[in-house]
Amino acid sequence: MTDNEDDQSVSLRLEKAIESNDFFSFIKPKDMVAIKTHFGEEKTQGYVRPNYFKMIGDMVKKKKGVPFLTETSTLYRGRRTNAVEHMEFAYGHGFTFEKTGLPIIMADGLMGDEEMEVTIPGVLYPSVKIASLIAKAHSLILVSHFTGHILAGFGAALKNLGMGCSSRKGKLVQHSTARPSIIRKKCTACGECIKWCPQDAIAMMDGKAEIDKSKCIGCGECLAVCRFDAVNYNWSETYVNLQQKVVEHAMGVVETKKNKAIYINFLNRMTKDCDCMGEFQKITPDIGILISFDPVAVDAASLHLVESKSGKSLPGMAYDIPYDEQLKYAKELGFGNTDFELIELA
Ligand code: SF4
Ligand code: SF4
């Protein structure tokens, strides 16, 4: 890929590479194929464009698979907090049926709570909570956009798997060890959080909701249902701890897709922050697209290429934090392979 190469010509070359190497041979007739990506955020421009999904979906159909686009709701407030608004947002970014030929089905349901518990050989967790449709789909095509990330160092396949394919509870476990609290001046006393709290941990006190922290399990239902931004969470986590949690959740997704998944990383329009952030400023020229059956190898190769092609370390371009713990921890767990061989295809 040359810098700023147009998406149509890159898509044609990607199609040729997938076709000539029969990368989608793991897709069998009638397989329900989840194509997971990120639809971007307000003002952001880094997300992988809809035209690529038209091509990928058509190739899945050639294999007689049944493809659909999928995503999960965010924890933070915005237009992607629930399935309905998230889909409307995606349509606004061009992910319409007319443009992609793919329906969107949210993997974690209406409110982000449709999940499946998956047993993993982890150290931090014996099992993780994965968005149920991701776990149920027969095959997975994970399309990730490589960016810097304020907590994870970088976001690509592992982050898209670990955080992006988890249910809201799975995301919460990764993001926060703390319990929520109510911002009294924002609380309108609508009572919605009280109705949804599974622990009966919330009660109305002096006309405002209040959380009994001894009962709270940190499930995040109140965060999801409060429409007035009155629920506050402590998002602070150590960088290393968060990255390790992301890797164990990624492991959970991979457990459900043995020999039934492929990972495609886009190394273009790369920004300091992930596609959840509104700012768009490229940190390095476009590099290309990486494909692998191993999410660890594709991330290791992506990071190597970003640093070697730009001649700078990622912390020098994005955030000066421990940025490669995802790869170190995957290696420690024996999950995937941090060794890789780069083969140029088209
Ligand atoms: S849902 Fe929000 S606004 Fe309504 S009572 Fe709970 S905290 Fe207050
Ligand atoms: S996080 Fe869950 S358990 Fe805790 S107060 Fe909110 S809804 Fe209740």
Side-chain angles (χ1 to χ4, degrees):
M1 181 190 286
T2 54
D3 194 26
N4 297 320
E5 186 172 339
D6 77 274
D7 290 304
Q8 285 304 337
S9 89
V10 177
S11 178
L12 280 173
R13 291 204 280 136
L14 178 59
E15 180 177 5
K16 203 170 129 202
I18 294 171
E19 183 111 58
S20 55
N21 293 279
D22 203 9
F23 281 135
F24 287 177
S25 60
F26 66 96
I27 296 169
K28 302 302 172 203
K30 299 282 182 202
D31 268 12
M32 307 292 277
V33 183
I35 304 173
K36 163 71 174 79
T37 191
H38 186 308
F39 299 129
E41 190 47 275
E42 303 277 7
K43 295 184 196 150
T44 194
Q45 297 163 42
Y47 59 93
V48 180
R49 297 300 194 264
N51 67 296
Y52 293 101
F53 297 96
K54 171 85 177 97
M55 178 273 288
I56 290 170
D58 287 348
M59 295 192 81
V60 171
K61 288 173 195 169
K62 272 196 204 164
K63 292 283 180 194
K64 304 201 185 318
V66 184
F68 63 96
L69 267 176
T70 196
E71 237 294 35
T72 60
S73 295
T74 60
L75 278 181
Y76 61 85
R77 292 276 143 211
R79 291 194 52 204
R80 300 190 302 125
T81 317
N82 62 63
V84 179
E85 288 174 292
H86 199 152
M87 286 167 70
E88 283 173 359
F89 179 82
Y91 299 148
H93 270 187
F95 292 91
T96 59
F97 189 77
E98 290 69 31
K99 286 201 176 148
T100 64
L102 298 166
I104 299 175
I105 310 176
M106 295 299 286
D108 55 354
L110 191 63
M111 310 282 273
D113 55 358
E114 305 268 336
E115 62 192 18
M116 205 174 267
E117 189 95 27
V118 178
T119 304
I120 56 162
V123 171
L124 303 172
Y125 309 109
S127 63
V128 289
K129 292 177 171 60
I130 300 305
S132 58
L133 284 197
I134 293 282
K136 281 182 190 164
H138 302 113
S139 298
L140 173 69
I141 298 173
L142 188 93
V143 178
S144 311
H145 176 223
F146 187 101
T147 64
H149 192 276
I150 191 166
L151 294 172
F154 70 91
L158 287 168
K159 175 84 179 11
N160 195 6
L161 281 172
M163 196 65 80
C165 294
S166 289
S167 66
R168 191 173 66 245
K169 281 184 196 163
K171 291 186 180 86
L172 266 173
V173 162
Q174 294 170 74
H175 264 305
S176 177
T177 50
R179 302 287 179 252
S181 57
I182 305 292
I183 305 166
R184 285 181 67 82
K185 64 175 188 299
K186 288 190 174 178
C187 176
T188 64
C190 71
E192 201 62 17
C193 56
I194 297 175
K195 203 162 80 190
W196 284 89
C197 176
Q199 298 301 106
D200 291 328
I202 316 177
M204 213 53 83
M205 305 278 274
D206 302 325
K208 303 283 176 181
E210 196 160 306
I211 295 172
D212 178 345
K213 295 205 170 148
S214 67
K215 291 186 183 171
C216 173
I217 54 169
C219 71
E221 295 283 346
C222 51
L223 180 78
V225 298
C226 179
R227 288 165 291 131
F228 305 97
D229 293 346
V231 178
N232 185 39
Y233 245 86
N234 177 3
W235 301 105
S236 62
E237 269 284 352
T238 68
Y239 306 113
V240 167
N241 196 9
L242 177 116
Q243 291 180 44
Q244 293 181 349
K245 290 175 176 180
V246 164
V247 170
E248 293 212 0
H249 281 75
M251 204 179 211
V253 179
V254 172
E255 280 290 312
T256 70
K257 296 284 165 293
K258 288 190 175 145
N259 303 317
K260 294 294 277 181
I262 194 163
Y263 306 96
I264 306 177
N265 278 5
F266 277 66
L267 275 59
N268 66 341
R269 301 189 179 101
M270 287 174 284
T271 46
K272 177 179 176 180
D273 283 302
C274 71
D275 291 338
C276 295
M277 309 294 261
E279 291 292 309
F280 181 77
Q281 203 179 346
K282 272 170 70 165
I283 53 172
T284 186
D286 299 336
I287 295 172
I289 298 168
L290 270 66
I291 307 178
S292 175
F293 294 105
D294 180 339
V296 179
V298 80
D299 274 9
S302 297
L303 182 60
H304 164 79
L305 275 179
V306 167
E307 294 194 316
S308 58
K309 295 270 181 194
S310 64
K312 295 181 206 154
S313 75
L314 188 64
M317 293 182 274
Y319 292 96
D320 191 9
I321 59 172
Y323 70 107
D324 55 358
E325 180 63 25
Q326 293 177 69
L327 299 173
K328 284 184 186 155
Y329 192 59
K331 189 170 188 174
E332 206 178 305
L333 290 176
F335 168 44
N337 202 333
T338 48
D339 295 330
F340 55 85
E341 184 188 353
L342 284 168
I343 302 168
E344 208 159 318
L345 295 175

